[in-house]
Amino acid sequence: MTDDEIRAIVFQTLKTIAPELEESDLQPDRLLRDQVDLDSMDWLNFLVALHQRLKVEIPEADYRKLTTLNTVVAYLASKGV
Amino acid sequence: MIEFKLPSLGADMDKGKLLEWRVKPGDPVKRGDIVAVVDTSKVAVDVEIWNDGTVYQLIAQPGVTIPVGTVIATLLAPGETVEAAEAERRSRPSPPAEAVAAEAAPVAAAAAPAVAAGERRRVSPVARRRAAELGVDAETVAGTGPHGSVTLEDVERAAAAAKAAPAVPADVQAEKQAEMRRAIAAAMSRSKREIPHYYLSELVPLQAATDWLAAENAKRSLTERLLMASLFLKAVALACVKYPDMNGLYREGRFEPGASVHVGVAVSLRQGGLIAPAIHEAAKKTLTQLMRDLTDLVKRTRAGSLRSSEMSDPTITVTNLGDQGVDAVFGVIYPPQVALVGFGRVEERPCVIEGGLRIIPAVTASLAADHRVSDGHRGALFLAEIRRLMQQPETL
């Protein structure tokens, strides 16, 4: 999967959690949680949805790597999705 | 004959709009069965019946707005005959149907011009949920299903059309918002007027809980992972068992301690507003079960598919605003409850431990409680119990 394909899936997944989100509002290198209203339950649901869609395991210890849209895409790419 | 009255689904509800019946005359029902869907100002709720029996008459019409406490249906008690029920009904002074009819017409007519006032409008549950997600008023959608019922496709088509011409649904949405705001304002004004609140706060060290949670979650798959919130809920529930004067309802001048601990969880809605439905029997559930219930409850609250017992049962409320970044939250008690526990942000803080300064994760837990039922001393013991329980996460 290309980075652009992963990015599209990440964005779609995020939008299921935060339907008010527009792609143009999201700066890919800024902290997601500063730009999108996500509580810890939303965040967990976001990761669970990515896990189910992309069949990728995301250990809790890796959460700190997942801060921006870019880092989430890079992390998933490194997992070989 | 058993009269089934529209239940109050929370202090901020004084009327509700019947959306649909899920039963018909002659159906046997058991306590806890869902018999109707009712729209409060906040959300559509699946209303459960409180008696076993057989549905006799459906009195209220779908599309009609009804005051809380109005008889909306009658049931035959187990073993009761139709003749006995009829005799009982005739002996009553005023038929309840008139009260309902008086409230009826304007709402139904305004909502669904294509359907005659009072006539039942069929909307499939999946369509109703989708409509709630998309912010579409399912009552105004043209139905193409059997008998003009509204299907999932109808809702999605209406949502797409609404996007093209946003003016009308924006108004509907704004009016819904305004109505919810009025309902919250009424309940909170009542709380501040009637309940002599006192407030306490306590810093709760979370090193043990954080370490335990990290080790536990490392063993769990993503879908089974626990959030700190589930530990908070369990600690509050267990503390309620030990301090029953925080758990229960204050009604008609006296406090009724809760027989069980049903923890109301404040869930914010993305479009604004707040609902605090209950997790039942929280003190008896494992953390895994609580976490499943919490995930499910948040999902269903936002999708608009709560059960009436979840709306009316909470015996205490927990709010966890720390996720949004505040240090501490001092809440307004949700009447007729008598206490609300708030958790702020979990954050590393300097703490003095055994004479030394250490940086550890901690959270500020707060209590708003009712002076008619308890004093600050009891409240302090209650918060100290929550603090103590959080130091022993493996026992939760």
Side-chain angles (χ1 to χ4, degrees):
Chain A
M1 207 177 276
T2 68
D3 279 9
D4 282 347
E5 285 165 337
I6 298 174
R7 185 176 300 270
I9 287 174
V10 171
F11 182 78
Q12 283 163 17
T13 307
L14 205 51
K15 199 162 164 77
T16 62
I17 310 284
E20 72 280 4
L21 193 63
E22 296 296 336
E23 194 152 12
S24 54
D25 298 340
L26 200 60
Q27 295 184 32
D29 54 356
R30 266 189 63 202
L31 290 179
L32 277 174
R33 290 184 70 164
D34 286 353
Q35 303 180 79
V36 191
D37 182 7
L38 296 174
D39 61 21
S40 51
M41 177 69 78
D42 294 327
W43 181 249
L44 184 58
N45 286 337
F46 170 59
L47 297 182
V48 166
L50 285 178
H51 159 75
Q52 285 168 343
R53 183 136 180 203
L54 298 170
K55 308 287 174 249
V56 60
E57 271 302 328
I58 308 173
E60 198 179 53
D62 288 352
Y63 286 7
R64 59 195 159 79
K65 299 180 190 166
L66 309 174
T67 51
T68 68
L69 184 58
N70 283 346
T71 58
V72 171
V73 172
Y75 177 83
L76 294 171
S78 77
K79 289 274 187 170
V81 300
Chain B
M1 189 164 59
I2 300 164
E3 292 186 329
F4 182 61
K5 295 176 179 167
L6 181 66
S8 172
L9 307 171
D12 46 9
M13 171 177 170
D14 56 8
K15 59 184 188 305
K17 179 172 163 190
L18 180 65
L19 295 177
E20 61 178 304
W21 283 109
R22 292 282 181 81
V23 291
K24 56 185 188 310
D27 285 354
V29 289
K30 288 196 306 294
R31 181 190 163 102
D33 285 353
I34 291 166
V35 295
V37 183
V38 168
D39 195 22
T40 71
S41 62
K42 290 179 170 181
V43 67
V45 178
D46 294 338
V47 175
E48 296 150 286
I49 193 99
W50 285 97
N51 302 87
D52 294 353
T54 304
V55 178
Y56 183 49
Q57 293 172 304
L58 300 179
I59 296 170
Q61 296 294 319
V64 170
T65 298
I66 306 155
V68 165
T70 307
V71 177
I72 58 174
T74 54
L75 305 182
L76 299 176
E80 188 179 15
T81 63
V82 170
E83 291 73 28
E86 275 301 308
E88 189 184 335
R89 191 172 68 82
R90 276 192 298 272
S91 71
R92 291 237 165 102
S94 66
E98 283 176 15
V100 174
E103 296 282 332
V107 176
V115 176
E119 187 177 321
R120 176 180 172 145
R121 182 152 186 90
R122 291 168 191 272
V123 184
S124 75
V126 60
R128 189 174 303 288
R129 262 150 223 167
R130 187 70 182 132
E133 282 168 22
L134 294 169
V136 174
D137 184 352
E139 301 301 314
T140 63
V141 173
T144 61
H147 309 292
S149 63
V150 177
T151 65
L152 182 60
E153 284 179 354
D154 294 332
V155 167
E156 294 191 327
R157 197 177 312 116
K163 229 175 179 173
V168 174
D171 285 354
V172 170
Q173 186 64 18
E175 178 49 35
K176 186 92 186 154
Q177 282 296 310
E179 202 180 321
M180 179 185 299
R181 185 53 45 203
R182 280 193 294 274
I184 293 172
M188 295 299 99
S189 302
R190 180 186 150 201
S191 172
K192 282 282 182 172
R193 194 168 56 239
E194 293 177 6
I195 303 177
H197 287 65
Y198 66 85
Y199 299 96
L200 305 171
S201 76
E202 168 85 354
L203 189 71
V204 177
L206 292 178
Q207 187 68 61
T210 305
D211 291 349
W212 181 85
L213 200 56
E216 187 63 30
N217 279 344
K219 291 184 279 188
R220 290 171 179 246
S221 75
L222 195 49
T223 49
E224 292 285 306
R225 246 167 244 170
L226 302 173
L227 292 174
M228 187 65 86
S230 59
L231 276 66
F232 291 157
L233 291 175
K234 185 68 183 285
V236 168
L238 290 175
C240 282
V241 173
K242 191 160 177 186
Y243 295 94
D245 36 359
M246 302 295 152
N247 183 64
L249 307 178
Y250 191 93
R251 284 194 289 217
E252 289 160 19
R254 55 183 285 272
F255 175 60
E256 305 156 18
S260 300
V261 184
H262 305 312
V263 178
V265 182
V267 179
S268 61
L269 303 178
R270 293 208 82 86
Q271 65 273 27
L274 184 74
I275 302 178
I279 293 183
H280 290 122
E281 302 285 1
K284 294 179 183 160
K285 287 181 172 158
T286 63
L287 288 175
T288 301
Q289 188 59 48
L290 277 178
M291 186 64 208
R292 272 192 209 134
D293 286 7
L294 180 64
T295 308
D296 175 59
L297 197 65
V298 171
K299 200 173 284 173
R300 285 190 298 111
T301 303
R302 292 189 173 151
S305 68
L306 290 168
R307 296 171 73 99
S308 53
S309 59
E310 292 168 329
M311 296 291 285
S312 56
D313 279 358
T315 51
I316 184 168
T317 295
V318 171
T319 181
N320 188 9
L321 267 184
D323 268 347
Q324 271 71 41
V326 295
D327 273 346
V329 47
F330 294 92
V332 181
I333 298 168
Y334 194 76
Q337 296 164 40
V338 299
L340 179 143
V341 178
F343 291 97
R345 178 176 56 228
V346 177
E347 192 178 37
E348 298 208 315
R349 295 178 210 224
C351 288
V352 176
I353 295 173
E354 292 167 2
L357 189 62
R358 282 183 53 201
I359 308 291
I360 59 162
V363 69
T364 300
S366 68
L367 171 71
D370 186 338
H371 246 314
R372 296 172 302 184
V373 181
S374 66
D375 291 314
H377 178 68
R378 288 290 284 179
L381 292 173
F382 175 70
L383 274 186
E385 178 68 6
I386 292 172
R387 174 184 163 124
R388 189 188 70 77
L389 288 162
M390 289 303 296
Q391 307 317 304
Q392 301 167 356
E394 68 286 352
T395 66
L396 291 175

